Amino acid sequence: MATFKAIRIDKADKGTTAALTQFDDAELMDGDVTVRVEWSTLNYKDGLALTGKAPVVRRFPMIAGIDLAGTVEQSSHPDWKAGDKVVCNGWGMGETHLGAYAEKARVKGDWLVRLPDGISARDAMAIGTAGYTAMLSVLALEDHGVTPKSGPIVVTGAAGGVGSVATAVLSKLGYHVIASTGRQAEAAYLKGLGAAEVIDRSGLTVPVKPLAKERWAGGVDSVGSTTLANMLSMTKYGGAVAACGLAAGMDLPSSVAPFILRGVCLIGIDSVMCPIERRKRAWSRLASDLDKAKLADITHEIGLDEAISYGPKILAGEVRGRIVVKIV
């Protein structure tokens, strides 16, 4: 029976275990496309799965990893043939469907996006779900009518994966980006990505007022909780905030005041089940609006055998920018 290398998560007496091992082809789940995985990445959700800190994994055994980029090996799907270069984000990979930390993956062809011209498989995973989510957030702000002329944009968790890409993309598009971080040592890094200002996150973790002084036209938030509530209270009339993360918690200690007195819009960003056409739009825009030199600057490469040890690091906020995982 053929096997391949994978990070396997199993149920344990207390929580879960994660180990790099050999996985049987026969255990692969249903799908009409088999992909030779070349690169994956490390996202916050991957950290949760690898450490068992949250019930991200909902079937066992599981192969971790919510993102992949690679080459189609076999396909019975009409849109794909052997040799096609593809990227796949979300759709329950690493949660309910066997994921990307493996040399092989079998998925539904409807989940795949063709790698855009100018983006390599490694680049795609340097972007990963974090960067793709950042672009979905930018698209949401644009669709709401928030432009560079509207005023500053605040990005929270700015030194993380989502925040780094959001900062780089928004600055390239001409926005005045205010980067919020709890790591002031990263100020030079953030300004290198294009941030016009760097502020300490402590200003967004204070007790929330229904309405505070207007500071920005919108924002991209990957933190949630009190941070998001304060962002909303400080958003200018008619502005919008794209919420795409919950690193600080799922609660939202806010009020209706920003919404009914300033017409602020809170836009939820879901990357997992996002419709395929919007995914294609996001990846197309990433190909044109993300500076590849800046992407290289924010990216660190590790091997598959190192991924498990990096799980606790990303949860502790010790990871800057993006981590790519070399599979083969």
Side-chain angles (χ1 to χ4, degrees), residues 97-116:
H97 191 93
L98 296 178
Y101 290 166
E103 294 173 313
K104 186 180 294 187
R106 184 175 296 143
V107 298
K108 295 181 179 180
D110 290 343
W111 295 354
L112 299 172
V113 173
R114 195 175 304 277
L115 275 181

PDB file of all heavy atoms in Angstrom, residues 97-116:
ATOM      1  N   HIS A  97     -11.779  18.033   6.458  1.00  0.00           N
ATOM      2  CA  HIS A  97     -11.242  17.348   5.288  1.00  0.00           C
ATOM      3  C   HIS A  97      -9.717  17.294   5.427  1.00  0.00           C
ATOM      4  O   HIS A  97      -9.093  18.274   5.845  1.00  0.00           O
ATOM      5  CB  HIS A  97     -11.619  18.103   4.005  1.00  0.00           C
ATOM      6  CG  HIS A  97     -11.333  17.340   2.749  1.00  0.00           C
ATOM      7  ND1 HIS A  97     -12.278  16.543   2.132  1.00  0.00           N
ATOM      8  CD2 HIS A  97     -10.212  17.241   1.992  1.00  0.00           C
ATOM      9  CE1 HIS A  97     -11.757  15.991   1.051  1.00  0.00           C
ATOM     10  NE2 HIS A  97     -10.503  16.392   0.951  1.00  0.00           N
ATOM     11  N   LEU A  98      -9.133  16.145   5.081  1.00  0.00           N
ATOM     12  CA  LEU A  98      -7.680  15.977   5.217  1.00  0.00           C
ATOM     13  C   LEU A  98      -6.936  17.126   4.539  1.00  0.00           C
ATOM     14  O   LEU A  98      -7.231  17.489   3.401  1.00  0.00           O
ATOM     15  CB  LEU A  98      -7.247  14.638   4.630  1.00  0.00           C
ATOM     16  CG  LEU A  98      -7.794  13.397   5.338  1.00  0.00           C
ATOM     17  CD1 LEU A  98      -7.338  12.126   4.625  1.00  0.00           C
ATOM     18  CD2 LEU A  98      -7.385  13.357   6.802  1.00  0.00           C
ATOM     19  N   GLY A  99      -5.952  17.682   5.253  1.00  0.00           N
ATOM     20  CA  GLY A  99      -5.372  18.945   4.858  1.00  0.00           C
ATOM     21  C   GLY A  99      -4.062  18.899   4.100  1.00  0.00           C
ATOM     22  O   GLY A  99      -3.728  17.920   3.415  1.00  0.00           O
ATOM     23  N   ALA A 100      -3.279  19.988   4.260  1.00  0.00           N
ATOM     24  CA  ALA A 100      -2.204  20.325   3.340  1.00  0.00           C
ATOM     25  C   ALA A 100      -0.807  19.990   3.824  1.00  0.00           C
ATOM     26  O   ALA A 100       0.144  20.073   3.042  1.00  0.00           O
ATOM     27  CB  ALA A 100      -2.270  21.821   3.036  1.00  0.00           C
ATOM     28  N   TYR A 101      -0.633  19.634   5.094  1.00  0.00           N
ATOM     29  CA  TYR A 101       0.708  19.292   5.584  1.00  0.00           C
ATOM     30  C   TYR A 101       1.017  17.849   5.199  1.00  0.00           C
ATOM     31  O   TYR A 101       1.193  16.958   6.028  1.00  0.00           O
ATOM     32  CB  TYR A 101       0.804  19.468   7.096  1.00  0.00           C
ATOM     33  CG  TYR A 101       0.775  20.912   7.567  1.00  0.00           C
ATOM     34  CD1 TYR A 101       0.562  21.213   8.905  1.00  0.00           C
ATOM     35  CD2 TYR A 101       0.974  21.977   6.689  1.00  0.00           C
ATOM     36  CE1 TYR A 101       0.535  22.526   9.354  1.00  0.00           C
ATOM     37  CE2 TYR A 101       0.953  23.288   7.126  1.00  0.00           C
ATOM     38  CZ  TYR A 101       0.741  23.561   8.460  1.00  0.00           C
ATOM     39  OH  TYR A 101       0.706  24.854   8.907  1.00  0.00           O
ATOM     40  N   ALA A 102       1.114  17.629   3.896  1.00  0.00           N
ATOM     41  CA  ALA A 102       1.300  16.286   3.353  1.00  0.00           C
ATOM     42  C   ALA A 102       1.813  16.383   1.931  1.00  0.00           C
ATOM     43  O   ALA A 102       1.643  17.409   1.265  1.00  0.00           O
ATOM     44  CB  ALA A 102      -0.023  15.514   3.374  1.00  0.00           C
ATOM     45  N   GLU A 103       2.417  15.305   1.469  1.00  0.00           N
ATOM     46  CA  GLU A 103       2.934  15.292   0.106  1.00  0.00           C
ATOM     47  C   GLU A 103       1.833  15.094  -0.926  1.00  0.00           C
ATOM     48  O   GLU A 103       2.067  15.291  -2.123  1.00  0.00           O
ATOM     49  CB  GLU A 103       3.980  14.183  -0.036  1.00  0.00           C
ATOM     50  CG  GLU A 103       5.226  14.421   0.801  1.00  0.00           C
ATOM     51  CD  GLU A 103       6.184  13.253   0.787  1.00  0.00           C
ATOM     52  OE1 GLU A 103       5.733  12.103   0.974  1.00  0.00           O
ATOM     53  OE2 GLU A 103       7.391  13.494   0.588  1.00  0.00           O
ATOM     54  N   LYS A 104       0.647  14.746  -0.459  1.00  0.00           N
ATOM     55  CA  LYS A 104      -0.460  14.486  -1.385  1.00  0.00           C
ATOM     56  C   LYS A 104      -1.772  14.939  -0.751  1.00  0.00           C
ATOM     57  O   LYS A 104      -1.967  14.817   0.461  1.00  0.00           O
ATOM     58  CB  LYS A 104      -0.529  12.994  -1.720  1.00  0.00           C
ATOM     59  CG  LYS A 104      -1.536  12.612  -2.781  1.00  0.00           C
ATOM     60  CD  LYS A 104      -1.523  11.105  -3.042  1.00  0.00           C
ATOM     61  CE  LYS A 104      -0.206  10.654  -3.648  1.00  0.00           C
ATOM     62  NZ  LYS A 104      -0.274   9.222  -4.062  1.00  0.00           N
ATOM     63  N   ALA A 105      -2.675  15.475  -1.564  1.00  0.00           N
ATOM     64  CA  ALA A 105      -4.008  15.852  -1.096  1.00  0.00           C
ATOM     65  C   ALA A 105      -5.032  15.503  -2.167  1.00  0.00           C
ATOM     66  O   ALA A 105      -4.747  15.637  -3.368  1.00  0.00           O
ATOM     67  CB  ALA A 105      -4.068  17.348  -0.784  1.00  0.00           C
ATOM     68  N   ARG A 106      -6.201  15.049  -1.734  1.00  0.00           N
ATOM     69  CA  ARG A 106      -7.308  14.802  -2.662  1.00  0.00           C
ATOM     70  C   ARG A 106      -8.455  15.726  -2.267  1.00  0.00           C
ATOM     71  O   ARG A 106      -8.913  15.710  -1.116  1.00  0.00           O
ATOM     72  CB  ARG A 106      -7.756  13.342  -2.622  1.00  0.00           C
ATOM     73  CG  ARG A 106      -8.848  13.025  -3.664  1.00  0.00           C
ATOM     74  CD  ARG A 106      -9.177  11.546  -3.674  1.00  0.00           C
ATOM     75  NE  ARG A 106      -8.032  10.744  -4.090  1.00  0.00           N
ATOM     76  CZ  ARG A 106      -7.718   9.555  -3.579  1.00  0.00           C
ATOM     77  NH1 ARG A 106      -8.465   9.035  -2.623  1.00  0.00           N
ATOM     78  NH2 ARG A 106      -6.678   8.898  -4.032  1.00  0.00           N
ATOM     79  N   VAL A 107      -8.871  16.564  -3.202  1.00  0.00           N
ATOM     80  CA  VAL A 107      -9.866  17.592  -2.910  1.00  0.00           C
ATOM     81  C   VAL A 107     -10.891  17.659  -4.037  1.00  0.00           C
ATOM     82  O   VAL A 107     -10.747  17.003  -5.072  1.00  0.00           O
ATOM     83  CB  VAL A 107      -9.201  18.976  -2.734  1.00  0.00           C
ATOM     84  CG1 VAL A 107      -8.237  18.970  -1.556  1.00  0.00           C
ATOM     85  CG2 VAL A 107      -8.482  19.407  -4.015  1.00  0.00           C
ATOM     86  N   LYS A 108     -11.898  18.490  -3.843  1.00  0.00           N
ATOM     87  CA  LYS A 108     -12.882  18.744  -4.884  1.00  0.00           C
ATOM     88  C   LYS A 108     -12.332  19.790  -5.850  1.00  0.00           C
ATOM     89  O   LYS A 108     -11.803  20.820  -5.428  1.00  0.00           O
ATOM     90  CB  LYS A 108     -14.191  19.232  -4.269  1.00  0.00           C
ATOM     91  CG  LYS A 108     -14.885  18.196  -3.390  1.00  0.00           C
ATOM     92  CD  LYS A 108     -16.185  18.737  -2.833  1.00  0.00           C
ATOM     93  CE  LYS A 108     -16.876  17.684  -1.970  1.00  0.00           C
ATOM     94  NZ  LYS A 108     -18.166  18.187  -1.402  1.00  0.00           N
ATOM     95  N   GLY A 109     -12.490  19.532  -7.124  1.00  0.00           N
ATOM     96  CA  GLY A 109     -11.999  20.472  -8.124  1.00  0.00           C
ATOM     97  C   GLY A 109     -12.625  21.843  -8.018  1.00  0.00           C
ATOM     98  O   GLY A 109     -12.019  22.853  -8.381  1.00  0.00           O
ATOM     99  N   ASP A 110     -13.854  21.897  -7.507  1.00  0.00           N
ATOM    100  CA  ASP A 110     -14.544  23.180  -7.352  1.00  0.00           C
ATOM    101  C   ASP A 110     -13.910  24.059  -6.284  1.00  0.00           C
ATOM    102  O   ASP A 110     -14.243  25.243  -6.174  1.00  0.00           O
ATOM    103  CB  ASP A 110     -16.019  22.950  -6.995  1.00  0.00           C
ATOM    104  CG  ASP A 110     -16.821  22.372  -8.144  1.00  0.00           C
ATOM    105  OD1 ASP A 110     -16.348  22.449  -9.297  1.00  0.00           O
ATOM    106  OD2 ASP A 110     -17.912  21.832  -7.898  1.00  0.00           O
ATOM    107  N   TRP A 111     -13.016  23.486  -5.482  1.00  0.00           N
ATOM    108  CA  TRP A 111     -12.334  24.262  -4.437  1.00  0.00           C
ATOM    109  C   TRP A 111     -11.092  24.975  -4.952  1.00  0.00           C
ATOM    110  O   TRP A 111     -10.557  25.854  -4.272  1.00  0.00           O
ATOM    111  CB  TRP A 111     -11.889  23.341  -3.300  1.00  0.00           C
ATOM    112  CG  TRP A 111     -12.999  22.694  -2.531  1.00  0.00           C
ATOM    113  CD1 TRP A 111     -14.337  22.926  -2.653  1.00  0.00           C
ATOM    114  CD2 TRP A 111     -12.850  21.701  -1.497  1.00  0.00           C
ATOM    115  NE1 TRP A 111     -15.034  22.140  -1.768  1.00  0.00           N
ATOM    116  CE2 TRP A 111     -14.149  21.387  -1.051  1.00  0.00           C
ATOM    117  CE3 TRP A 111     -11.751  21.074  -0.919  1.00  0.00           C
ATOM    118  CZ2 TRP A 111     -14.360  20.446  -0.029  1.00  0.00           C
ATOM    119  CZ3 TRP A 111     -11.969  20.140   0.082  1.00  0.00           C
ATOM    120  CH2 TRP A 111     -13.265  19.829   0.528  1.00  0.00           C
ATOM    121  N   LEU A 112     -10.611  24.597  -6.118  1.00  0.00           N
ATOM    122  CA  LEU A 112      -9.296  25.042  -6.578  1.00  0.00           C
ATOM    123  C   LEU A 112      -9.348  26.352  -7.360  1.00  0.00           C
ATOM    124  O   LEU A 112     -10.319  26.635  -8.060  1.00  0.00           O
ATOM    125  CB  LEU A 112      -8.662  23.963  -7.447  1.00  0.00           C
ATOM    126  CG  LEU A 112      -8.416  22.606  -6.773  1.00  0.00           C
ATOM    127  CD1 LEU A 112      -7.959  21.584  -7.807  1.00  0.00           C
ATOM    128  CD2 LEU A 112      -7.388  22.737  -5.662  1.00  0.00           C
ATOM    129  N   VAL A 113      -8.274  27.107  -7.243  1.00  0.00           N
ATOM    130  CA  VAL A 113      -8.068  28.315  -8.040  1.00  0.00           C
ATOM    131  C   VAL A 113      -6.760  28.138  -8.794  1.00  0.00           C
ATOM    132  O   VAL A 113      -5.764  27.681  -8.227  1.00  0.00           O
ATOM    133  CB  VAL A 113      -8.003  29.575  -7.149  1.00  0.00           C
ATOM    134  CG1 VAL A 113      -7.616  30.804  -7.969  1.00  0.00           C
ATOM    135  CG2 VAL A 113      -9.334  29.798  -6.441  1.00  0.00           C
ATOM    136  N   ARG A 114      -6.768  28.483 -10.059  1.00  0.00           N
ATOM    137  CA  ARG A 114      -5.544  28.390 -10.860  1.00  0.00           C
ATOM    138  C   ARG A 114      -4.560  29.457 -10.383  1.00  0.00           C
ATOM    139  O   ARG A 114      -4.943  30.605 -10.146  1.00  0.00           O
ATOM    140  CB  ARG A 114      -5.862  28.588 -12.339  1.00  0.00           C
ATOM    141  CG  ARG A 114      -4.751  28.166 -13.286  1.00  0.00           C
ATOM    142  CD  ARG A 114      -5.207  28.282 -14.737  1.00  0.00           C
ATOM    143  NE  ARG A 114      -6.420  27.514 -14.990  1.00  0.00           N
ATOM    144  CZ  ARG A 114      -6.450  26.206 -15.250  1.00  0.00           C
ATOM    145  NH1 ARG A 114      -5.304  25.522 -15.285  1.00  0.00           N
ATOM    146  NH2 ARG A 114      -7.598  25.593 -15.470  1.00  0.00           N
ATOM    147  N   LEU A 115      -3.294  29.055 -10.240  1.00  0.00           N
ATOM    148  CA  LEU A 115      -2.284  30.034  -9.836  1.00  0.00           C
ATOM    149  C   LEU A 115      -2.212  31.154 -10.869  1.00  0.00           C
ATOM    150  O   LEU A 115      -2.019  30.890 -12.054  1.00  0.00           O
ATOM    151  CB  LEU A 115      -0.909  29.378  -9.712  1.00  0.00           C
ATOM    152  CG  LEU A 115      -0.550  28.694  -8.394  1.00  0.00           C
ATOM    153  CD1 LEU A 115       0.861  28.133  -8.486  1.00  0.00           C
ATOM    154  CD2 LEU A 115      -0.646  29.665  -7.223  1.00  0.00           C
ATOM    155  N   PRO A 116      -2.373  32.409 -10.458  1.00  0.00           N
ATOM    156  CA  PRO A 116      -2.282  33.515 -11.419  1.00  0.00           C
ATOM    157  C   PRO A 116      -0.876  33.627 -11.990  1.00  0.00           C
ATOM    158  O   PRO A 116       0.106  33.227 -11.358  1.00  0.00           O
ATOM    159  CB  PRO A 116      -2.623  34.750 -10.564  1.00  0.00           C
ATOM    160  CG  PRO A 116      -3.288  34.229  -9.335  1.00  0.00           C
ATOM    161  CD  PRO A 116      -2.693  32.875  -9.099  1.00  0.00           C
TER     162      PRO A 116
END
